[in-house]
Amino acid sequence: MNPTSVADTLREYLSLLELLDDAYWEASNIAHKDMLYDIISIFSQEVSEINKLSIQDHHYPYEVITEGIRRVVPKLERLDESREEVIQRTQTLTDFRDILSSVLGILEDQLRTL
């Protein structure tokens, strides 16, 4: 399998961030909001660093930049296990399932090569 490009990774991360933001505002439980905020913070830092790259570098294979992104997989897996109770809206839940598998694939490829 070809490594995911910086541009493709950025697009997936931004889609996930948008869904996590929706889920945050839809959550009715403070513990769920805290979990979502933690994940949002980690991805926001990574996206911020990716955005510092030159646009000409976006065709290169993606490599993780921040330390937090290396440790986010267990948090995403925990969120995936409890997604039915954390994510309230049906549309957000459906979209989350689709994008999460793609993001986890990117992250697991990265962790395997480290």
Side-chain angles (χ1 to χ4, degrees):
M1 181 175 139
N2 290 337
T4 308
S5 71
V6 171
D8 292 340
T9 299
L10 182 59
R11 187 174 32 260
E12 295 297 322
Y13 285 3
L14 288 172
S15 295
L16 179 65
L17 274 170
E18 185 178 327
L19 287 170
L20 290 172
D21 185 62
D22 289 345
Y24 175 86
W25 290 109
E26 296 163 9
S28 60
N29 179 316
I30 293 298
H32 294 160
K33 284 185 181 284
D34 287 346
M35 175 176 49
L36 290 165
Y37 182 81
D38 184 37
I39 296 169
I40 289 169
S41 296
I42 290 168
F43 277 97
S44 292
Q45 288 174 342
E46 185 74 6
V47 166
S48 175
E49 292 300 318
I50 292 171
N51 282 329
K52 292 178 184 177
L53 297 173
S54 168
I55 198 75
Q56 289 86 2
D57 294 338
H58 282 212
H59 71 280
Y60 288 117
Y62 168 71
E63 294 178 14
V64 296
I65 301 170
T66 61
E67 189 60 34
I69 205 79
R70 297 176 201 275
R71 295 189 287 253
V72 78
V73 171
K75 293 173 189 267
L76 288 174
E77 289 170 344
R78 232 173 316 170
L79 176 57
D80 190 32
E81 291 169 4
S82 60
R83 71 177 177 254
E84 296 286 334
E85 55 191 71
V86 174
I87 302 173
Q88 301 298 310
R89 258 182 80 232
T90 305
Q91 185 63 49
T92 306
L93 182 60
T94 303
D95 294 345
F96 177 77
R97 274 185 272 183
D98 294 340
I99 196 73
L100 182 64
S101 64
S102 178
V103 168
L104 282 173
I106 292 168
L107 290 170
E108 288 167 353
D109 281 348
Q110 284 298 299
L111 296 176
R112 211 173 334 187
T113 62
L114 293 177

